[in-house]
Amino acid sequence: MSTPATHDAWAVAEMSAAETRSANRLTILWVVVMLALAPILVLLGMTMRGAQANLLPMLAAERFYSILTLHGLGMVGVWFVAAMAGTCAVLRKYVRLHLWANWTAFLGTLVGVVLLIVATLIGKYGAGWYFLYPLAITPKGVWQAWTTYTFLSAITVLGVAWTVWSIDALWGIARRYSLPAALSWHYITGKKGPEVPPFILIVTVSLIANLTGLISAVVMLALYALELAGITDVSDALVMKNLVFLFGHIVVNVTLYLGVGLLYELLPEYADRPWKNNRWVAIAWNIVLVLIFTAYFHHLYMDFVQIRVLHLIGQVSSYGLALPSAVVSIYGTLALVWRARMRWSMASLLMYCGVVGWCVGGIGALIDSTIAVNVKFHNTLWVPAHFHTYFLVGVVLMILGGVFHLSDKLSGLPENLRRSRWCTAMIVVGGYGFVLMFYLGGAMSIPRRYAQYHELISTGTLLAGTALVFITVLLIGLLMYIWETGLRCAVALKKV
Ligand code: HEM
């Protein structure tokens, strides 16, 4: 059982030429949204670091927290949809997807983003992505009622749109392969079965997990609705917290796995070697599918009312979740690249660097998921340090690589390799410098989510100021990337 190394680029399975054109156009639209929103969200992050560096004394704490909410949710959302859009573009080579589902997700995302902007920038909603139940719906209310309603509506619209998208993709996979085959169980048992590319395996695992996460969000939103409608009095705050972290943890991990799926599929083209599915790859990703549901308990270590054994399950699952997927994928990447005649273009460089960032951030995450360490690191800057590493210099790089590959193929424009290397170097150097300041802050017990640092933690101010220099380098690199990719999208739009 083996998978072919490469496939005809973007040859859509069972689709007419007109449908293919529409699908490609929609993919480009997704890319345009990603390219437009990413730098704005970076600027919001920069604003927060600027406030923490005492450079923006006029920025009120209330405004800081609304920016934090928009930045956090916006970033998670943008990279999730970018990963899903890239995944669907590749998935169409193997399975039949419905364009209307993709359009539902696109329009739903636009509506959700507008509602989110209104709730945060106009209504100054600042509870973060974790909702802070019951703060937003206490009788006196921290925020005006319309703000809370707008925020909850934004999450509902996004949730519904992404559920439709995920169901359609999973349905397409199940029709072509059957779910047990897509999960590569026959690779584990040694029975006969169809050839399943590792990309399909990872996407199937991700989509099943994603739907479960979205269901937990639906349950949580329903509990909010019942309470707001006066049907129930109050919900259990611990249950609400478990639901929100189950949802948040899964969405973030799924984004990561979708990025890794793109890597398994696209990097072989640059190494000119296949990346095959096998028993170990299948076992690793099936373990991920089990443990992804219990690892989130590590977010609740400090909740003393949570049943104790769940903390232990959280620690064991966190280790168990990280090791198989990371070890198999890192080993696979190294084996793929080792002594291969690699074509180091913008796409392959970004994807390769993304694996490194995933590995570094993963180690930071494992450290923090160890209960004995978490007692010290909880709510310090170590937390944004590790997740910005595996996100910003991890999966974001993989997605940027995948998106560049896609726009490059569709446009056929020649690549200036020197410029590509400069661009990648600036993103990577800026990114690592930025997260290093978070790590140093975490190691010094500087708390996270402070709008401004007290003079007693003046090191925090200094680290935030230094971070700004690196963020500027990163932003320049990102703008170069946007220029290169945007140009390709413009040419591709005329062609398709
Ligand atoms: C250069 C790019 C970025 C900058 C400058 C930046 C900056 C920041 C800052 C200053 C914070 C607040 C840290 C604190 O004091 O707790 C933060 C939080 C956060 N960032 Fe970023 N960030 C960037 C990229 C990203 C990316 C790519 C993601 C992707 C998911 C992301 C997701 C988040 C999340 C989820 C939070 C937590 C929000 C919260 O605690 O409520 N950021 N970011």
Side-chain angles (χ1 to χ4, degrees):
M1 283 182 284
S2 66
T3 43
T6 56
H7 309 266
D8 285 347
W10 323 108
V12 182
E14 296 175 42
M15 266 193 162
S16 68
E19 278 178 311
T20 307
R21 263 201 309 279
S22 309
N24 283 338
R25 262 194 219 126
L26 184 51
T27 305
I28 294 170
L29 276 183
W30 276 116
V31 175
V32 170
V33 170
M34 178 199 96
L35 296 181
L37 290 180
I40 298 174
L41 293 165
V42 171
L43 283 175
L44 291 179
M46 214 169 168
T47 308
M48 286 188 284
R49 265 334 226 165
Q52 291 170 335
N54 273 347
L55 295 176
L56 300 170
M58 67 303 253
L59 193 86
E62 198 187 12
R63 176 59 74 200
F64 178 93
Y65 291 109
S66 70
I67 292 178
L68 183 64
T69 305
L70 182 56
H71 167 83
L73 268 167
M75 279 291 193
V76 170
V78 160
W79 299 111
F80 171 76
V81 294
M84 272 294 282
T87 297
C88 286
V90 177
L91 203 53
R92 283 200 304 271
K93 288 189 289 180
Y94 300 105
V95 307
R96 181 107 167 96
L97 300 178
H98 295 101
L99 256 185
W100 59 260
N102 207 326
W103 270 111
T104 307
F106 186 77
L107 298 176
T109 301
L110 290 188
V111 173
V113 167
V114 171
L115 291 173
L116 203 59
I117 290 174
V118 171
T120 51
L121 293 189
I122 300 174
K124 293 192 187 157
Y125 185 86
W129 66 267
Y130 24 81
F131 295 67
L132 290 183
Y133 176 86
L135 202 59
I137 52 173
T138 45
K140 280 197 181 156
V142 175
W143 297 279
Q144 288 178 10
W146 74 263
T147 309
T148 304
Y149 283 117
T150 311
F151 177 77
L152 292 176
S153 309
I155 303 295
T156 308
V157 173
L158 292 172
V160 170
W162 297 350
T163 303
V164 170
W165 204 9
S166 302
I167 290 177
D168 181 60
L170 198 57
W171 178 251
I173 292 176
R175 264 190 6 163
R176 159 90 196 261
Y177 294 95
S178 88
L179 279 185
L183 288 169
S184 304
W185 288 351
H186 54 293
Y187 282 78
I188 301 173
T189 57
K191 289 188 182 154
K192 275 197 167 174
E195 186 182 308
V196 178
F199 168 74
I200 294 290
L201 163 64
I202 299 172
V203 173
T204 309
V205 167
S206 306
L207 292 174
I208 294 174
N210 196 34
L211 284 172
T212 317
L214 289 167
I215 289 169
S216 73
V218 169
V219 174
M220 183 191 60
L221 289 168
L223 289 173
Y224 263 104
L226 288 175
E227 200 172 326
L228 286 168
I231 298 170
T232 53
D233 216 9
V234 65
S235 297
D236 184 319
L238 187 62
V239 170
M240 292 302 251
K241 192 165 177 187
N242 271 279
L243 287 171
V244 76
F245 278 95
L246 175 60
F247 158 65
H249 185 85
I250 288 180
V251 170
V252 164
N253 273 263
V254 162
T255 307
L256 228 140
Y257 299 151
L258 292 176
V260 174
L262 288 174
L263 174 96
Y264 270 73
E265 182 71 13
L266 302 179
L267 201 58
E269 285 200 29
Y270 295 86
D272 206 17
R273 276 180 182 170
W275 195 334
K276 291 179 182 170
N277 199 350
N278 60 41
R279 174 175 283 177
W280 292 110
V281 173
I283 291 175
W285 286 98
N286 276 277
I287 291 177
V288 167
L289 183 56
V290 177
L291 296 183
I292 194 170
F293 302 118
T294 47
Y296 87 90
F297 289 132
H298 61 219
H299 290 282
L300 287 100
Y301 285 156
M302 295 301 129
D303 290 76
F304 59 89
V305 283
Q306 178 91 324
I307 305 166
R308 223 161 208 242
V309 70
L310 297 183
H311 296 326
L312 293 176
I313 294 176
Q315 175 164 333
V316 173
S317 308
S318 306
Y319 277 75
L321 184 65
L323 293 178
S325 57
V327 169
V328 166
S329 307
I330 292 162
Y331 174 78
T333 309
L334 290 176
L336 186 80
V337 169
W338 179 252
R339 295 199 169 160
R341 273 194 306 247
M342 275 301 288
R343 202 155 46 83
W344 288 114
S345 73
M346 176 103 95
S348 54
L349 273 173
L350 284 170
M351 284 191 273
Y352 189 80
C353 292
V355 179
V356 179
W358 181 31
C359 179
V360 177
I363 293 169
L366 277 186
I367 293 174
D368 197 29
S369 70
T370 311
I371 296 173
V373 178
N374 191 271
V375 171
K376 301 275 181 213
F377 278 1
H378 186 82
N379 270 349
T380 68
L381 286 178
W382 190 273
V383 182
H386 84 256
F387 74 71
H388 278 92
T389 312
Y390 63 62
F391 242 115
L392 182 63
V393 284
V395 68
V396 168
L397 297 192
M398 294 182 206
I399 296 171
L400 291 181
V403 165
F404 185 85
H405 170 92
L406 163 60
S407 63
D408 205 40
K409 288 266 167 194
L410 287 176
S411 69
L413 280 186
E415 183 180 350
N416 180 329
L417 284 179
R418 204 175 130 84
R419 221 167 28 225
S420 294
R421 284 172 193 160
W422 267 105
C423 170
T424 310
M426 292 184 91
I427 294 178
V428 170
V429 171
Y432 276 99
F434 159 63
V435 293
L436 180 64
M437 298 307 126
F438 272 156
Y439 279 114
L440 292 176
M444 292 175 197
S445 297
I446 294 173
R448 69 185 287 208
R449 294 187 192 137
Y450 267 36
Q452 271 177 354
Y453 295 119
H454 188 271
E455 61 232 16
L456 285 179
I457 32 180
S458 57
T459 323
T461 314
L462 186 71
L463 292 174
T466 314
L468 284 177
V469 178
F470 286 107
I471 299 169
T472 310
V473 175
L474 179 137
L475 194 58
I476 297 171
L478 186 64
L479 291 175
M480 282 167 73
Y481 171 91
I482 291 172
W483 173 258
E484 293 289 331
T485 311
L487 211 66
R488 283 168 172 74
C489 284
V491 173
L493 259 185
K494 280 189 204 146
K495 276 192 169 181
V496 297

